[in-house]
Amino acid sequence: MKFINNNGIVWKAPLAAALSWELAKWAGSDHPYLAPLTVILTIQITIDKSIRFAWQRTIGTIVGVLFTASIAPYLGLNGWSIGLLLFVGAAIVKWLKLDHAMMVQVTLSILLVMFFQSKMPSYPLDRIRDTVIGAAVALLIHILIFPPDSIKKAKKKMICFADHLTEHFFNTALWVEQGCSSSEAQTMNTELQTLFQELHQATTELDKAEQSLRYNPLAPKKRNSLDQLARQLNQLGLGYANLADMTRILTKWTESSVFTKVDQRIWADHLKSLASLVKEWKRVLDEPATGTFVSNVPDLEIKTPSHLENYLYPLALYMNAEQVIQDFQKFDFSNKDL
């Protein structure tokens, strides 16, 4: 059952292909392979993409077949007539501002109908009917039988990201304890970039889960879980953003030569506390619970000292303004290939 549930993309297409072939033959098709061909192309990773492709292929096929069947007999079959009809079909799709995938289906139908119509008069009708059969069978099986669910995959990626975020907080604390050496700063930035890629992957997986739930008959039961994961992913994203900003500030503080041993010890301890907080928070992902998460990490009071409160906002603004200047001054416009 686990294999069936987690590997629908493996067994759904063969099952739908077999059924669509038999249905196409029962409907009187002389070209039943067109139905399973549509099945193979239609079943995508998410239901949303499958429905979109099924719609594009069906409409594109109908338009292409009707257009070609009405004009091709007057043109004959040669390279120039094929090129002319393909051009006209593509131009119409472009004029109507339809998707590129629609253009592909229209032009593909034009080409095949032009070639097969004179040899097999039943081909145009078979192509329309079998495409509809294949698309319908593919969607019914994809939606009703173990519909794809990316929530578990998204959750696994979030748990992995939370572990790595915790690890990086600890690594940053160790880096601060050792004096924020410039030789290690590049390594820290590289790890942050890797962490950002993981965050992007988790976000992408969560988007897939949201798309799948749009047409999932079990969606109402899973919508709350998806919304909760979205909020938690937002928290992880904010944690990453703050860690990246803190690393940047610590680097500049070190370069200013006023980063004392006392400051190093204080901020190393703060970062360790934040790492412990993220590690404890991750339990919410591992073992979902109702209610509000309350940290048990001791000594988590990290507040701005009273003598710095008056300078807090101006300093933050100056730091960000300096970063903007540096970012835009670094850009190299000398590349002549642009």
Side-chain angles (χ1 to χ4, degrees), residues 97-266:
K97 297 181 180 180
L98 299 176
D99 191 90
H100 175 72
M102 187 75 77
M103 182 183 294
V104 171
Q105 296 304 323
V106 170
T107 53
L108 183 62
S109 293
I110 289 174
L111 173 62
L112 294 177
V113 171
M114 283 197 71
F115 180 76
F116 286 112
Q117 182 175 237
S118 59
K119 301 178 181 181
M120 294 174 283
S122 65
Y123 182 82
L125 177 60
D126 285 349
R127 184 169 181 84
I128 292 176
R129 179 179 53 214
D130 296 351
T131 296
V132 173
I133 290 174
V137 172
L139 291 180
L140 286 174
I141 289 180
H142 205 27
I143 294 173
L144 298 180
I145 304 178
F146 294 104
D149 181 6
S150 296
I151 292 181
K152 291 182 180 179
K153 293 181 181 179
K155 186 174 180 179
K156 287 180 180 179
K157 288 187 179 294
M158 288 172 60
I159 291 174
C160 184
F161 176 79
D163 283 332
H164 292 164
L165 181 63
T166 301
E167 181 181 349
H168 198 74
F169 265 108
F170 279 121
N171 290 341
T172 306
L174 180 61
W175 173 61
V176 172
E177 279 183 337
Q178 296 174 349
C180 298
S181 65
S182 57
S183 61
E184 291 293 326
Q186 184 60 41
T187 302
M188 300 299 295
N189 288 328
T190 301
E191 291 179 0
L192 277 173
Q193 292 174 7
T194 302
L195 206 57
F196 177 77
Q197 293 299 322
E198 289 188 32
L199 178 62
H200 176 69
Q201 291 172 7
T203 303
T204 301
E205 203 63 49
L206 201 63
D207 288 341
K208 289 181 182 178
E210 195 279 331
Q211 292 174 11
S212 294
L213 283 183
R214 291 179 187 176
Y215 306 99
N216 190 329
L218 301 177
K221 297 181 180 179
K222 297 186 177 183
R223 176 60 61 181
N224 291 337
S225 298
L226 183 64
D227 291 342
Q228 183 180 7
L229 282 180
R231 291 192 297 269
Q232 291 167 341
L233 182 60
N234 183 61
Q235 287 179 271
L236 288 171
L238 292 173
Y240 166 82
N242 282 296
L243 175 58
D245 210 30
M246 291 170 72
T247 302
R248 178 176 63 85
I249 293 171
L250 286 166
T251 301
K252 294 179 70 68
W253 195 358
T254 303
E255 294 171 351
S256 69
S257 301
V258 295
F259 194 34
T260 66
K261 293 289 185 182
V262 175
D263 293 327
Q264 292 176 23
R265 178 180 54 79
I266 291 174

Side-chain angles (χ1 to χ4, degrees), residues 1-9 11 146 152 156:
M1 291 300 296
K2 184 178 180 181
F3 174 84
I4 292 175
N5 193 25
N6 296 335
N7 297 277
I9 201 71
W11 58 266
F146 294 104
K152 291 182 180 179
K156 287 180 180 179

